[in-house]
Amino acid sequence: MKRWKNIAIGAVMGLYFPVVFAFVNYDNDRVVCGSIQPVVNDSLVNRFVSGNEIKDLVLDEYAGILGRPLGELDCHQMEAFFLNHPAVKNCEVFTTCGGALHVHVTQREPLLRVFDVSASYYLDEDGHKMPLFKNHSAHVLVVTGFIKRLKSMDQLIQLARFIHKDAFWKAQIEQLYVDEQGELSIVPRVGDHIIEFGHLEDIDVKFRNLRALYTNGWNSREWNVYKKVSLKYKGQVVCTKG
């Protein structure tokens, strides 16, 4: 008897939930969009795009969206639209039964500010170009000079990632310069010297040698004595006063 009772309860539950879900979906399709709720997940770090701008973009791109049934809104298409924005890395669009359209975005993280001969732009952590934005400037590593003379932009991104992940180098290095031969020089924040890095190779070894010079080689007075530190020669750190 107990067994048949359990079977009957299971059958009723099996019919109950599909009916309830169907009713909820039907009712949700009749609810109209009454508000747009934008969220910028990393707004404390970067301010390339604001919540108000997201809301304005929705209203401009999807005229008459307020008052339309939620069932007529294509959230996936909206996500694709926002992913075309140069400041947006990820986007999630969804609706809630109260009639709200939620747009949650995560911005791209710039690693470098590039001052090329003919243009200025950012490169993000994935190596993608980002234009300059009038409302916000990111305080990131700057690279100038003959950028196109580099053998590989991927190596430049690799170097920027290395610096960004290390708290000491992130605080110490403020600018990179590419000369006509495609070799790199580094301008530090502390010390009256220029670091000749050379070509973008053996990055780990060169920075290890430079850190050893800073921590074990120089005393506090020598930081402003030398004018040039060269890491170009394999296994050597050459300091020049003049």
Side-chain angles (χ1 to χ4, degrees):
M1 184 67 181
K2 185 176 181 180
R3 179 186 175 191
W4 286 107
K5 184 178 180 181
N6 291 337
I7 292 175
I9 292 173
V12 171
M13 296 297 287
L15 292 172
Y16 173 78
F17 283 111
V19 171
V20 171
F21 289 144
F23 175 77
V24 171
N25 287 335
Y26 172 74
D27 190 62
N28 189 56
D29 287 345
R30 295 176 62 185
V31 174
V32 299
C33 180
S35 65
I36 300 169
Q37 303 294 329
V39 174
V40 182
N41 294 320
D42 54 348
S43 59
L44 295 179
V45 179
N46 292 311
R47 296 181 178 86
F48 295 121
V49 61
S50 67
N52 286 335
E53 182 181 353
I54 291 170
K55 187 174 181 179
D56 290 341
L57 287 170
V58 172
L59 294 173
D60 289 343
E61 182 68 16
Y62 304 97
I65 191 171
L66 295 177
R68 288 178 60 185
L70 295 182
E72 295 182 7
L73 306 185
D74 189 340
C75 293
H76 294 297
Q77 196 280 331
M78 291 183 186
E79 289 174 353
F81 166 71
F82 276 102
L83 288 174
N84 285 325
H85 193 288
V88 175
K89 182 176 183 179
N90 292 309
C91 179
E92 183 181 7
V93 179
F94 59 94
T95 60
T96 51
C97 58
L101 175 71
H102 296 262
V103 183
H104 292 195
V105 303
T106 301
Q107 298 170 96
R108 294 190 180 279
E109 179 73 22
L111 277 182
L112 284 167
R113 172 80 179 269
V114 178
F115 288 88
D116 207 340
V117 175
S118 57
S120 180
Y121 54 89
Y122 294 108
L123 288 176
D124 74 1
E125 54 195 344
D126 297 317
H128 297 138
K129 281 187 178 182
M130 295 175 61
L132 304 184
F133 298 87
K134 62 180 181 180
N135 297 325
H136 178 64
S137 295
H139 299 289
V140 293
L141 189 64
V142 171
V143 56
T144 62
F146 301 85
I147 313 297
K148 293 182 175 60
R149 299 293 178 90
L150 289 171
K151 293 180 180 179
S152 170
M153 291 298 287
D154 290 338
Q155 288 181 313
L156 182 63
I157 294 299
Q158 182 184 354
L159 175 65
R161 287 176 185 157
F162 182 94
I163 294 171
H164 184 75
K165 290 178 181 179
D166 189 294
F168 177 81
W169 295 125
K170 187 177 179 180
Q172 170 64 351
I173 296 173
E174 65 175 351
Q175 184 176 336
L176 310 174
Y177 175 77
V178 183
D179 67 16
E180 293 185 82
Q181 285 70 47
E183 294 190 356
L184 203 73
S185 294
I186 296 174
V187 180
R189 283 191 173 91
V190 180
D192 190 22
H193 57 278
I194 298 296
I195 302 162
E196 290 184 338
F197 196 83
H199 291 294
L200 287 169
E201 55 192 16
D202 300 323
I203 292 173
D204 293 351
V205 175
K206 289 178 178 179
F207 274 106
R208 185 182 65 207
N209 292 341
L210 183 59
R211 188 188 291 268
L213 174 68
Y214 282 164
T215 56
N216 301 317
W218 283 351
N219 60 46
S220 59
R221 292 175 298 176
E222 290 180 303
W223 280 74
N224 294 315
V225 170
Y226 294 97
K227 300 301 180 184
K228 186 184 299 181
V229 176
S230 180
L231 307 174
K232 293 170 57 173
Y233 308 104
K234 194 173 183 66
Q236 299 182 55
V237 179
V238 180
C239 302
T240 306
K241 290 185 177 180

